Every structure is written in structure tokens, then in C-alpha cells.
Amino acid sequence: MAESTPKKKLIEVALPLDEINAAAAREKSIRHGHPSTLHLWWARRPLACARAVIWSSLVDDPSSHPEEFPTAEAQDAERERLFDILRRLVVWENSNDPKTLEDAKAEIRRSMGDDVPALLDPFAGGGAIPLEAQRLGLKAYAQDLNPVAVTINKAQIEIPPRFEGLSAVNPRDRKDRMVDVWEGHTGLAADVDYYGQWMRERAWEKIGHLYPKVELPAEQGGGMATVIAWLWARTVTCPNPACRHTTPLVRSWDLSKKKGKEWHAEPFYNEEGELDFVVKPGKATEKGMVDRKGAVCVHCGEPIKFDYIRQEAQEGHMGSSLMAVVAEGEHGRAYVAPSAVQTEAADVPVPLDAPRTKLPEKALSFRVQVYGMDEHWKLFTPRQLTALTTFSGLVKDAQEQVRLDAVASGMADDGVGLADGGTGATAYGEAVGVYLAIMVDRLSNRCCTLCGWDTGREGITQVFGRQALPMVWDYAEGNPFSESTGCFESAIKYPVKVMAGLPIGSRVGNARQHDAARDAGLSNLVVSTDPPYYDNIGYADLSDYFYVWLRQSLKKTYPRLFSTMLVPKAEELIATPYRHDGSRQAAKEFFEDGMLDVCRHIHGYTRDDVPVTIYYAFKQSDSQAGDQRGATASTGWETMLEAVIKAGFVITGTWPMRTELSTGMRAKDKNMLASSIVLVCRKRPENAAPLSRRDFVRRLRANLAPAVRDLQASNLAPVDMAQCAIGPGMAVFSAAGAVLESDGSKMGVRSALALINQELDAVLNDAGDATDSPSRFCVELYGSHGFDAAPYGEVDVLARAKNVELQKLVDAHMVEAARGKVRLLGRNELPERGVDLSNDWLLCQALVRDLEQGGIEGCSALAAQRTPAEAEDARALAYRLYNLADRKGWASEALLYNNLVTAWPQIAGQAEARRRYDEKTDQTTLGF
């Protein structure tokens, strides 16, 4: 039964944000065993973020229990205890640590009782949120319109728990394993590994002759070696009538840039006038033949325009020529010139079952259609198509072999398939087949003519190095039967390692295909989700690349899921104009209407006693002309807020979840998606009263000031202040039935965001007014002119207004006055010694300088010379200066102040240690 006044959850009050974000950033460097390596998905949420958000949404904040924690001090102590659990919980190595998970689950039961609710993610995508819900003991519902996403989620939350604890059925492990105890998913993982190898062996029997070994020259060890990759150059006929030679389109002639192991290719024309290549040691001395402007004929030097190349490609006249062969040498990679044997081995017919489905004509993230690659099969060489169709076909054979071996091992066979909830030998065979099909998808990501050759790493790049399909001129064709880059052995390894780290002892999850804008028929759930980002990523268009191979492998396993030729697109909730006859307005309306429908359904699904959490990527510096400065409202962000509020939610918090270790401003300069903002939402009472604009502003001022003080006290990074301040601001706006303008019209989200940002500026300015007069003067001058010179008269007026004397500021080494101009002295112009740092401005600038030049140690040495209160005042000023620099677009300046605040816990800690050491030394000297 829902309570009339729901208890506040931890996520609605405080989080150890730095530790969560640090753990999320660290995940990017973890490859082996991380669920993201099971199958590629775009814009995954870090597991650490998902785990932290779900857990803190279920656990009560101590302020909800005044009978247990009657004072602020008691609540802070209890909150810190909960933080300690959360800090352990987000660490990757603790993902399946029994003690950590039991402590976390115990707190959930303490707050929610033994009847722990289920969680729904209506936009499950790569599955981070459902997976972490399952890890925390919740039943997870993962829904997505995209069949590729549904398959990934089935492989993570549905299949492993269904077959947990079963023995491996393959003959190798049944024979070799001495103890017949298979804990967790070890039996399933062993079978996935075995039948992956089984597929590789059967594929070799069928097509191994297409991958001949290469003879190495004596200087590279001699003998026959396994080929790792064939490096190809696309070619066109030179448009010069006097030439008409075949010319290669190559970005660079370098094959390897490893120090001491450099190799390059050189083109030449043989006696018959045909293009050929030699391979030589050392770096290339000539530039490649193609760049952003076009190409150049290697034979006659004639410029070749892209229009000509595109026309030739569309008419089927673009070819390819083998440029070099990379082999597994005794001492690393060996680079060999092409031969007739190697060239002829690749000359095979296109398989009849190659995917002849269409690529989208106008998707912005695709660049290959203009080069004639308008169907999926055209993205691959005939040999690559042969390999992929062979492996895909073998998935069905492997499923049957698993079934037979399962029956032989004693498993009952009820004939019920996986899609119908079977748990016998038939379903188990199909379950293993899901992972084998995923292996084929993994292989396809490095088995395509859009894969380049990384000359530094000496490996094949993946197709989706980013969320697009760009053209690749000189490409690498891998050998799936090697043991190096792009091989099937690697495709086997990653899923097997992922399975070892999946949750153990969890409830069987439910992953299904569903349109989030339609009613799912669910209720009484926790909802946490990561919806599409307006027009940022076209998941359906991108995932067709994998879908065509999954469908070949699994259409009999999941006939309904793979009933369409391509991924469904018409219902995909994304603002893509080309799906609406090029109309941006129609695309915008489609997204807005759809997102509102989604939020209304979520409102119906969710419990009253647990907040909804919604992730949204946020373009921090996106604002439209005519807005009040600082509105920072991208169309997608505004639409998301509008939908949430119109659906009947109150926004009770906003948390920036960062996944970059660096505090750099590169993303901010380029207006990239920099943060995932987690919106924390509660159901709004139906009888919520309206507010006037005046009352809204009054309440906003009353709520924002203490909220900002609390955020600063928690050492929130200044770069995150604007996002976090949206929380208390939108809480006031969304709690009202409506906010009415003076003419009676309803205030929109964009206007509310503008007012929130204005009030945030005012709050930070008011905090600045508490500082000393010289510092207030410097802040004002900085906001107007930075460190540039200003007219003396203008500055003199400002000085009088702030009740300071310019000459005293000159004497204090704060400003320079000369030739009718006045400017603030830069940080590097401040004397190292002999300057009175008793005012906030000078101390703040000196701390920034010392942090930049001497790191934490140098900065803490300076902080230790002042009292803790003086140092804290300088830190507080850094927030104001960051805000000013940010508003002015001074990215490098803003970064310096942000760095000071984010490093402050270490600075303050070392400074205090220095003070105690100095005090102890003084007492010892004085004989105490």
C-alpha cells in the first residue's frame, strides 16, 4: 500500500558523486569480462552508474527516519555509512562480491521490506540498467523495440538464470572434469566455448582453403606463415584520357609505425601496365593518394574529384587491389608483398544467401551509399560474405548438436523451444546458439570493407569505431582462422568471459520486444531508463548491420523477434527528419508526442513510494537566439523535461553522471554530449495548485540558495553546478499544477530554465558579496574584461562603487595601472613571496597557479599557510569565477577553477596534515 507521504530516498538527498563517476570512468578501460564486450551497443550506461542509481532509489535517506536519526549530525553519520556501502558497490571488482552485494541487498530490504519490487527499463538498449537491477536482487523487465537490443538483454538477464547451475553437456568437459559441480553459469559458459570451437572447426572444413598461408621472405624468417590480414586498396580508373591507368585510393602507404618495425608499401606498374605493389621496411616517404579534398592518380598525378569517384563507384567501376599481406611471424607481424596465390584465393562468388537488404538512403551517420554501397552485402568482400554466411549457417547445426549432447548427458527433452519458455534440451541448445550468433556479430564488426588497419597497434579496426558508417579507402580483411586481430577465436573469448561475471542466484529476467510508446500492461514497478537522445543516434539504422546476421542465425529460435527483414524503424522514437519527408518540424512533433506517451505510461507503471530515474544526455552549451543568457536548453533536453512534467511527475533531483576521468573542457567547447543527467521524479499530486510567476520566482530563490550551499559543501564540481541546480529549480516548477505568466498563459520549460539559471547566477553573486571589498572589485572587473586592460575612468568608477582605492590595489599586486589603462595581474605575474594573501581574490588565484604548476602538493603547501576558513573562502570564490568564465565562454579559464574545486578534498587534507606537523614541530621546539 502506498504511503500518503512517501519517504525520501537517498538519491533525492545526497550521493557520493565523485566516487560514482570515478568508477564509471574506470569502466572504460576494463575489457575482459565486462558486459559491454558481449555485443557492441551504442551509448551504453556504465554499470557503476546504473547500480548506484537503482540502489540509492530504493534505500531510504536517514532524514526519512527522524525517530532513529533525530539530529542533523545523526543523519549525516548514517548517510556516510550508506555512502560507504555505495562506494564499495560501484567498484568493478566488487560486482559479484558476496559480502558487498549482501550488504547492499540488506539495505534495500530494510527500506522496502522483503517484497522487493521489480524494475522495468522500457528503453533497455545495451542492458546495463536491467542487468544491475538483477544483480541487486530485483526481477528485471527489459523492453526495447530493437531486436538486437532484445537479444543482448536475453543473453544477459534471461538465459543465464534459467540455466544456472547446470552441468556442461559437451563431451570434452563431461569427460575431463573430475568434479561434477558447476556453479553459477560455468556449465553454460563451458558449452558456449566448446561449441564456438566446434563451429570454427566445421567452418575450417568448409572454407579453410580460402585462407592459404603465405611464404615469408628470408629476411622475415622464411617458411610458411598464417595470414593475419590482407590489406586492400580501393581503385578507380584515372579520368585523364591520356592515362586511364588503374590508380589506388590510399590514405597512407605506411603499414606499420611501430618503432623499429616500420614497414610501408609502394605502388608500381608492371610490364603489362597493371597496378602492383612492393613492401619495404621503413617509413613511407610519399603521401597517400586520397585526402579530404579528393584523390591524385599515382601514375600521372592528375587530380581526381570525389564526384568522379562516386560516379564510378555507383556504376560498379570501383575495384580493389591487394596491397600487402600481414602474417604471424616469429618475431611479431610480418609484411609481405601480394602474390597471385593470395589474390586468387579471395576471388570467390558472392553467396546466394548474402544479405541483400537496403541501407537507409538518407541517414546522416552513413556515408557509404554515395559510393554504391546501398545494400548490406556490398559492405563486404565475397570472401568475407562467404565466411559470415558459413558461420551463421553453422549456428543452427551447433544448436542441434548441443541438443543431442544434452540428451546424451541426461537432460530431458520436452521439445519446447527457448521462445516458449522451455528449459529442456531443445531450449538449452537454442540458448547456446544465441551466444554463438553473438559471436558471428562480433566477427562481423571486424570483417568488413569498412575496417581499416591500425598502423600503430598493428590490428584491424572495428566497423563501429563511432556511431556511423564512414567510407574507408584502404581496408583490412582479417583471417577468421588466425589467432590474431579479427579472428573467430577472439569472438568466442569475449562472450565466455562476460558470462563468468554475470549475476549469480538472480531471478530470471524478462527481455521482450515492445514499443515504449504503447502500454506494456505492467504496474507496481520501479522504473529506471535511458531514453533516446532526440536526434543523436539512429539505433535502428545502425543496428541493421548486426541484425541481418543475427536473423540468419536465430530466426527459427525467435521467429517473432526476427520476423521483419530489418529492424523496425517507423516507431523508433527519434527526431529524424528523413523519416518525415525531410520535415524537421514533423520529426520534432513525432518525438515530443512519443516521449509524452512514454512518460504517461511510465507514470502508470511506477510505484508511489519509489522515484523514477531517467537518464538524459545534455548539450550543455546549446541555446537558441533570443533566449535569456544561460538558458542552456537543447531541444531534446527541453522536450524531455516537458514530457516528464506533462505526464504528471515532479522532478525532485538532477544528478550529472560523468564517464570521463579528465575534467577537460574539450567536449564543452565542441558542444558535445558531455553528461548524462539523471532526472529523479515523483508522481505529482493531482490537486497540485498553480503558481504565479512571482510566487515561482520567490520560491525558487528560497529553495535554490540553500541547495547551492549544500552542493558546494559536498564539493560538487563547478562544471556540474548548473545541471544539479536544475533539480531544486525544476522541483519548484514541476510541483505546481502550472506556473502562470502575468497574462494567464502557462510558463514553458524553456522560460523556467532561463529563470533557474538567472537565479543560480544571483545566488553565486550573493555568495560573492560576502567576500572582502578588494575581491569583490576584482571579480567585477574580471567578469567585464577578464585579464585584459580596461579604460582607467571606467575602472575608477567601479573602484569607488566598491569602496576601494586603486593605488592600494596596485600596491597589493592585484592590478596594474599604466597609460590610462588598468588590468588585473595574471596569476603567473603574482610574486612568489611577499604578497599579502589575506583577501580571497589573491589567495584563489595563487592556489590556482600553484595547482597548475606544482600539483596537489604545491597547492596544499600554500593552503596550509592560511587558516582553514580563509582557504575555504577561496574555494567558494572559485565557484563564482568558474560561473563567470563559463558564461563568457572562456573554457581554459573555467577549467582551472573547476580543477581547484575537484582537487580540494586532497588539497585540504594535505594542508591540514602540514598544519598539524608544523604545530607539533613548534611545540617540540618550545619544549612542550
Side-chain angles (χ1 to χ4, degrees):
M1 180 71 68
E3 297 181 20
S4 57
T5 305
K7 296 173 182 175
K8 275 193 173 183
K9 298 298 181 180
L10 187 63
I11 197 170
E12 297 176 291
V13 179
L15 289 176
L17 200 59
D18 283 349
E19 289 91 337
I20 295 170
N21 286 341
R26 182 169 170 265
E27 276 188 41
K28 287 193 168 187
S29 62
I30 297 169
R31 302 300 301 160
H32 298 292
H34 195 281
S36 65
T37 63
L38 176 69
H39 189 293
L40 186 144
W41 190 256
W42 304 268
R44 284 176 180 265
R45 290 301 101 221
L47 303 184
C49 290
R51 202 177 306 163
V53 167
I54 295 167
W55 187 79
S56 59
S57 299
L58 297 170
V59 173
D60 293 343
D61 184 74
S63 63
S64 296
H65 297 278
E67 71 285 357
E68 291 185 59
F69 312 105
T71 66
E73 291 76 11
Q75 291 173 15
D76 287 343
E78 173 63 6
R79 204 169 285 129
E80 188 60 32
R81 185 186 72 83
L82 294 174
F83 283 0
D84 283 341
I85 297 174
L86 190 50
R87 291 182 184 112
R88 285 188 286 129
L89 187 64
V90 297
V91 174
W92 163 252
E93 286 76 10
N94 292 339
S95 296
N96 278 342
D97 177 62
K99 177 66 166 62
T100 299
L101 290 177
E102 181 49 40
D103 288 349
K105 292 175 182 178
E107 291 301 329
I108 293 174
R109 293 192 298 269
R110 184 182 176 197
S111 295
M112 302 299 302
D114 291 332
D115 186 20
V116 177
L119 178 142
L120 168 67
D121 181 356
F123 296 102
I129 295 172
L131 178 64
E132 293 311 310
Q134 191 178 68
R135 197 184 305 277
L136 291 171
L138 283 67
K139 180 177 177 63
Y141 289 90
Q143 296 183 168
D144 205 289
L145 182 64
N146 194 307
V148 178
V150 175
T151 304
I152 295 170
N153 279 277
K154 285 183 177 293
Q156 291 183 152
I157 69 166
E158 192 173 281
I159 295 173
R162 188 182 296 185
F163 299 102
E164 185 173 313
L166 292 183
S167 302
V169 304
N170 72 81
R172 177 196 67 192
D173 289 296
R174 283 168 52 202
K175 176 183 178 182
D176 296 343
R177 192 172 176 101
M178 300 299 294
V179 181
D180 193 25
V181 177
W182 298 82
E183 297 178 348
H185 316 304
T186 54
L188 179 60
D191 283 335
V192 169
D193 175 68
Y194 176 87
Y195 293 103
Q197 301 291 349
W198 182 93
M199 275 177 56
R200 184 183 184 277
E201 291 169 6
R202 298 303 179 276
W204 174 256
E205 293 170 2
K206 290 174 178 285
I207 60 173
H209 62 281
L210 301 181
Y211 300 89
K213 291 190 174 185
V214 66
E215 186 173 358
L216 298 182
E219 60 269 23
Q220 296 195 66
M224 304 302 290
T226 299
V227 175
I228 294 172
W230 293 265
L231 307 185
W232 297 85
R234 299 191 198 273
T235 61
V236 293
T237 300
C238 176
N240 181 359
C243 178
R244 301 302 291 170
H245 278 75
T246 298
T247 189
L249 304 173
V250 176
R251 294 173 300 111
S252 169
W253 298 113
D254 285 310
L255 306 176
S256 171
K257 292 184 177 179
K258 267 195 175 176
K259 190 173 182 181
K261 297 182 179 181
E262 295 89 349
W263 287 86
H264 71 279
E266 292 181 4
F268 71 95
Y269 292 89
N270 60 27
E271 294 178 356
E272 289 77 26
E274 296 172 337
L275 177 66
D276 207 342
F277 299 87
V278 294
V279 173
K280 297 180 180 180
K283 295 180 180 179
T285 57
E286 301 292 332
K287 292 183 178 180
M289 309 314 295
V290 64
D291 58 22
R292 292 180 178 274
K293 298 178 182 178
V296 176
C297 175
V298 74
H299 185 265
C300 70
E302 177 80 7
I304 306 175
K305 294 182 179 180
F306 277 128
D307 287 345
Y308 172 80
I309 297 173
R310 290 166 184 151
Q311 182 180 349
E312 288 287 284
Q314 290 171 15
E315 293 176 358
H317 300 151
M318 179 182 282
S320 58
S321 184
L322 185 58
M323 186 167 57
V325 179
V326 189
E328 294 176 342
E330 291 184 5
H331 304 289
R333 304 287 194 250
Y335 294 87
V336 183
S339 66
V341 171
Q342 298 299 328
T343 302
E344 290 167 4
D347 188 14
V348 296
V350 173
L352 294 176
D353 52 350
R356 299 180 185 275
T357 42
K358 289 279 189 182
L359 270 70
E361 294 182 6
K362 300 177 181 178
L364 294 178
S365 56
F366 289 64
R367 297 288 185 271
V368 296
Q369 296 92 324
V370 294
Y371 296 103
M373 300 181 192
D374 55 354
E375 295 182 353
H376 285 98
W377 70 274
K378 295 180 182 179
L379 300 174
F380 307 89
T381 70
R383 182 164 54 181
Q384 288 174 331
L385 289 169
T386 301
L388 290 170
T389 54
T390 298
F391 278 107
S392 293
L394 283 168
V395 170
K396 295 185 283 292
D397 296 343
Q399 287 176 318
E400 176 59 16
Q401 186 62 50
V402 177
R403 187 190 72 79
L404 293 173
D405 289 342
V407 171
S409 72
M411 185 182 293
D413 187 11
D414 53 11
V416 180
L418 194 62
D420 295 322
T423 57
T426 296
Y428 187 71
E430 292 178 341
V432 173
V434 170
Y435 298 98
L436 302 180
I438 286 173
M439 292 175 192
V440 179
D441 265 12
R442 283 194 58 88
L443 179 65
S444 74
N445 196 31
R446 296 187 191 271
C447 186
C448 174
T449 64
L450 301 182
C451 297
W453 180 254
D454 186 331
T455 57
R457 188 177 58 87
E458 292 188 296
I460 298 173
T461 64
Q462 56 182 320
V463 174
F464 290 104
R466 55 191 179 95
Q467 299 150 359
L469 285 180
M471 185 60 171
V472 175
W473 298 109
D474 41 295
Y475 60 89
E477 180 187 8
N479 180 358
F481 301 106
S482 74
E483 296 183 358
S484 299
T485 176
C487 67
F488 193 70
E489 186 73 39
S490 177
I492 297 171
K493 176 178 64 177
Y494 280 97
V496 171
K497 289 187 176 181
V498 167
M499 295 175 71
L502 294 178
I504 299 172
S506 304
R507 304 182 190 184
V508 177
N510 180 287
R512 67 165 179 163
Q513 185 180 29
H514 186 77
D515 181 357
R518 299 180 182 275
D519 185 14
L522 300 170
S523 62
N524 202 36
L525 300 168
V526 179
V527 178
S528 184
T529 193
D530 180 20
Y533 301 154
Y534 196 66
D535 59 354
N536 187 43
I537 303 174
Y539 295 98
D541 290 333
L542 292 169
S543 57
D544 276 343
Y545 180 89
F546 295 118
Y547 178 84
V548 296
W549 300 113
L550 278 180
R551 186 172 186 272
Q552 284 202 9
S553 302
L554 299 178
K555 60 186 174 185
K556 290 187 177 180
T557 301
Y558 296 114
R560 292 184 62 185
L561 185 61
F562 294 99
S563 61
T564 56
M565 292 299 293
L566 291 172
V567 173
K569 296 179 178 62
E571 302 91 345
E572 184 183 28
L573 194 53
I574 186 169
T576 308
Y578 87 86
R579 292 186 190 160
H580 301 272
D581 297 323
S583 171
R584 289 187 175 276
Q585 182 61 29
K588 179 176 181 290
E589 291 172 1
F590 171 80
F591 183 81
E592 290 174 348
D593 294 344
M595 191 56 72
L596 180 56
D597 287 341
V598 169
C599 290
R600 282 174 173 160
H601 288 311
I602 290 175
H603 190 279
Y605 305 148
T606 190
R607 296 169 58 124
D608 294 336
D609 59 341
V610 179
V612 171
T613 49
I614 301 173
Y615 296 73
Y616 206 78
F618 175 60
K619 290 184 178 180
Q620 297 182 84
S621 58
D622 187 16
S623 59
Q624 295 184 2
D627 289 343
Q628 299 179 59
R629 185 170 57 85
T632 57
S634 71
T635 304
W637 175 234
E638 180 186 357
T639 299
M640 186 73 250
L641 293 174
E642 286 276 14
V644 168
I645 294 168
K646 284 182 179 179
F649 286 107
V650 179
I651 298 170
T652 60
T654 53
W655 294 101
M657 296 293 179
R658 294 182 172 273
T659 58
E660 300 294 338
L661 282 170
S662 170
T663 53
M665 303 292 290
R666 180 181 61 84
K668 192 171 183 67
D669 291 340
K670 295 186 178 180
N671 197 26
M672 296 168 65
L673 297 171
S675 295
S676 282
I677 308 302
V678 178
L679 297 173
V680 185
C681 313
R682 290 274 193 172
K683 292 183 178 181
R684 183 171 57 248
E686 294 183 3
N687 60 350
L691 279 179
S692 67
R693 178 189 177 98
R694 177 180 296 179
D695 286 340
F696 169 58
V697 172
R698 179 175 54 79
R699 293 189 186 184
L700 183 60
R701 288 173 179 168
N703 284 26
L704 204 55
V708 169
R709 285 196 297 270
D710 289 344
L711 290 170
Q712 289 182 336
S714 69
N715 207 61
L716 181 79
V719 70
D720 292 326
M721 179 61 75
Q723 292 96 305
C724 283
I726 290 171
M730 291 307 296
V732 177
F733 179 77
S734 57
V739 175
L740 304 177
E741 300 280 11
S742 56
D743 61 359
S745 62
K746 289 185 178 180
M747 179 184 291
V749 165
R750 183 171 291 272
S751 297
L753 286 171
L755 287 172
I756 291 169
N757 279 278
Q758 284 181 5
E759 289 304 316
L760 175 61
D761 283 349
V763 168
L764 293 173
N765 287 340
D766 288 345
D769 288 343
T771 191
D772 55 275
S773 295
S775 295
R776 287 200 298 272
F777 163 84
C778 290
V779 170
E780 193 78 22
L781 183 58
Y782 177 79
S784 301
H785 297 279
F787 291 101
D788 295 333
Y792 183 91
E794 176 186 332
V795 179
D796 186 51
V797 170
L798 175 63
R800 293 176 188 275
K802 298 297 181 184
N803 196 30
V804 296
E805 296 181 27
L806 271 180
Q807 187 55 49
K808 287 186 177 180
L809 298 178
V810 172
D811 295 340
H813 300 283
M814 300 175 76
V815 301
E816 177 189 72
R819 296 182 292 279
K821 299 283 186 179
V822 180
R823 67 176 182 88
L824 290 166
L825 287 177
R827 285 176 287 274
N828 294 330
E829 296 178 285
L830 298 178
E832 292 289 334
R833 292 182 174 80
V835 176
D836 181 7
L837 297 178
S838 60
N839 71 65
D840 297 338
W841 171 266
L842 281 176
L843 181 55
C844 181
Q845 298 304 323
L847 288 168
V848 168
R849 176 200 63 194
D850 287 6
L851 178 62
E852 189 178 19
Q853 296 178 355
I856 302 276
E857 185 174 351
C859 190
S860 64
L862 176 60
Q865 298 173 20
R866 313 305 306 178
T867 67
E870 289 173 332
E872 282 294 331
D873 287 344
R875 181 193 74 107
L877 181 58
Y879 277 100
R880 171 109 188 263
L881 296 176
Y882 170 87
N883 194 53
L884 283 172
D886 182 47
R887 299 294 188 209
K888 292 287 188 178
W890 302 334
S892 57
E893 272 289 296
L895 173 61
L896 294 173
Y897 299 119
N898 187 71
N899 286 349
L900 179 63
V901 174
T902 55
W904 193 256
Q906 295 168 279
I907 294 168
Q910 289 193 21
E912 182 59 28
R914 285 174 179 271
R915 292 189 195 99
R916 288 198 301 268
Y917 176 80
D918 291 343
E919 181 179 347
K920 182 178 179 180
T921 302
D922 289 345
Q923 289 175 345
T924 303
T925 302
L926 293 172
F928 293 122

